Structures are given as structure tokens and as C-alpha cells.
Amino acid sequence: MPRPVTVTYHVAPDSAAVARAAAEFFSSSVSAAVKARGRARVALSGGSTPKAMFALLADPSQPFLKQVPWDALDLYWVDERAVPPTDADSNYRMTNEAMLSHVPLAADRIHRMEGELDPEVAAARYESTLRNTFRLEGAETPTFDLILLGMGDDGHTASLFPHTEALNEMSRLVVANHVPQKDTWRITLTWPVINQAREVAFLIEGAAKTQVLHDVLLGPYQPETYPSQLIRPASGKLTLLLDTRSAAKLPEPVPSETVSGSTGTLELS
Ligand SMILES: O=C(O)[C@H](O)[C@@H](O)[C@H](O)[C@H](O)COP(=O)(O)O
């Protein structure tokens, strides 16, 4: 059975407000990690939702470019498509265009998954990258300071798709995962690595996610069908950054004193 977790969900009124809430969350989480440990190691997801947040972080008219301690940050990816970094489907390309090429983050602090390689080779090489940069020994798992996730309308997260091999992987750090639903290959962190992070947050928005978010959080535990249910961080905490549309079938949140919008909590046993 999964470990119990307290889910805190912040609900913002619209897409722009979600992106701002996510940028604020990212900035404060990274700053807290650097204050506590001198550095921050963060893994980002791709897809479309995080793009607006990345653009806000890089926008010189916004406070984040100055707030984020970029010189103490190492950026990794949660997953990548099996395509070159120049491909329109590349998570790296999206992140580079929206943020990386506009922020003072040194190239050797950007740890790209090599989607242009054979997926199994790319997964093995990324696992080596994690072992080397986190200085892991034996069967140790890396502890990221923050992992930012999205959720597909089929309940997948990272590239952990329903009824795929990667859901069963509990010892490797990174795997290649064939996704028959999309007839494609992906490279992805495994769910035990995600659960080891000090902080895990989902960034989810839009009416297309309303039902699946309800089913993942409030429906029966069936992770083969809803892989996002595998995300039960060892910290016992999980944060969701939502808009009113995606949160429409969750218990009504209450207006928050600390962040714009409203906040709710759920205890998942
Ligand atoms: O490579 C990817 O696509 C992502 O890592 C994936 O897990 C994404 O977070 C979800 O598919 C949600 O994607 P959207 O934000 O586009 O809905």
C-alpha cells in the first residue's frame, strides 16, 4: 500500500495566475534549498503547462530573474522525448527557448537527457550523470531539492504512462519507456527517485484535467491506470499548483492568507 501523504493544493483563478504561483513556488523552494545546503538541484517536466512559468522566471520585468540564485542551481529533467534537442517535441528545446537561453545559468549546470541517442543508451548515460553529480554510492537514490511534475489527462506523470513497463521499475534511477499509446519512446526518472525529492509539486491546469485529477486524488488506488498515484513523496508532503478549472471537482479550498487564490488540503492514506 502507498505511504500516507498530505496534499496541499493552491488554486489560482486562471492560467496567468497559475504560472505566477508556480514561479513564486520555484523561486522560494530553490532559495530555501540554497540557504539550507548551499545549492539546489531541481528536475523539471516538459509538456505545455510549465512554459508560461519558465517565461516568467526569465522575464527581466519580473522579480524572479534577480530572486533565483541561478549560480547555485543545477537543472535536470524528469523526462524527455526520444528526439534531438532541436526537435519541436523536445522538452529541452521548450525549456531552453522559454527560459534557459535568457537566464544566467552556466551550461555545465544544465543536465540534459540526450533524446537524440538510443533511449536505452540515453537512460544509462543519464543514470551515470545522476550518480556522478549527486556522488551516489551503491544503490543510493538521488535526493532532488525540488521535482516539478505535470499530469496528463490519462493520469500519467513524467513519462510514466498507464500500463507501461516503467511503472514496475523500482531499482533503476532512469529508464527508457516505450509508450504504445503514443507509439514512441521516452526517457524518464523512475517513481522512487521522484518520491525521494525533498519537495514535489504538480503544476496542472485546464478543464481537460478536472476529472483525472479527481480520480487520481479521490478515486480508488489503481496506479497501473493512474500512474500519478505512485507519487507519494517520502517527505509525506505533496503540493499541487492548480487553476479553478482543474480543481473544480476537489473539495472547496479556502481563501489563503499567504498566497493569491485559495488553498485546500487532503490526507491520502
Ligand atoms: O514530457 C512530457 O510531456 C511531460 O513531462 C509530461 O509528463 C507532462 O508533464 C504531462 O504530459 C502534462 O503535459 P501538459 O502540461 O502538456 O498537459
Side-chain angles (χ1 to χ4, degrees):
M1 278 309 280
R3 76 166 58 89
V5 70
T6 298
V7 178
T8 301
Y9 52 102
H10 301 297
V11 183
D14 54 36
S15 294
V18 176
R20 176 163 297 281
E24 286 164 355
F25 185 87
F26 177 94
S27 179
S28 59
S29 177
V30 167
S31 300
V34 172
K35 188 169 175 218
R37 289 175 291 280
R39 65 184 306 181
R41 291 180 285 200
V42 176
L44 300 173
S45 285
S48 56
T49 306
K51 196 170 177 180
M53 164 203 164
F54 294 160
L56 269 183
L57 288 169
D59 184 341
S61 71
Q62 299 297 320
F64 308 109
L65 200 53
K66 290 190 176 65
Q67 269 175 6
V68 174
W70 301 100
D71 58 348
L73 175 62
D74 277 87
L75 272 190
Y76 299 78
W77 272 262
V78 168
D79 64 335
E80 185 56 278
R81 289 82 182 274
V83 294
T86 51
D87 191 289
D89 276 349
S90 164
N91 287 336
Y92 169 80
R93 175 175 158 178
M94 181 275 285
T95 312
N96 186 45
E97 289 176 350
M99 179 170 71
L100 300 180
S101 48
H102 309 289
V103 299
L105 187 57
D108 64 352
R109 311 299 288 273
I110 298 171
H111 309 284
R112 182 176 69 83
M113 287 180 170
E114 296 165 292
E116 67 275 23
L117 302 179
D118 169 88
E120 295 290 356
V121 171
R125 283 170 61 90
Y126 207 68
E127 185 148 329
S128 299
T129 295
L130 294 181
R131 292 195 181 288
N132 296 335
T133 57
F134 280 81
R135 294 191 171 76
L136 302 179
E137 292 179 12
E140 280 184 322
T141 300
T143 301
F144 284 93
D145 293 291
L146 170 64
I147 292 188
L148 198 61
L149 299 171
M151 187 188 293
D153 57 12
D154 60 353
H156 84 263
T157 190
S159 283
L160 304 167
F161 284 81
H163 311 295
T164 58
E165 268 309 295
L167 303 187
N168 307 312
E169 181 56 58
M170 296 180 68
S171 51
R172 290 183 58 189
L173 307 180
V174 189
V175 293
N177 194 29
H178 182 245
V179 184
Q181 301 92 321
K182 293 179 178 277
D183 188 22
T184 181
W185 282 86
R186 296 283 189 96
I187 302 112
T188 185
L189 297 183
T190 55
W191 58 266
V193 171
I194 297 171
N195 282 337
Q196 181 67 18
R198 290 188 178 90
E199 202 153 29
V200 182
F202 278 93
L203 174 56
I204 304 170
E205 65 171 90
K209 310 291 174 74
T210 307
Q211 188 58 49
V212 71
L213 185 56
H214 167 274
D215 296 346
V216 164
L217 294 174
L218 301 170
Y221 184 69
Q222 38 188 19
E224 276 288 323
T225 304
Y226 296 112
S228 292
Q229 291 181 330
L230 292 166
I231 309 306
R232 293 287 188 99
S235 66
K237 293 185 305 170
L238 180 60
T239 300
L240 309 184
L241 303 170
L242 311 173
D243 69 335
T244 45
R245 295 169 301 169
S246 59
K249 288 196 171 181
L250 300 186
E252 188 67 28
V254 297
S256 169
E257 286 91 43
T258 52
V259 295
S260 63
S262 51
T263 297
T265 56
L266 283 171
E267 298 297 338
L268 301 187
S269 56

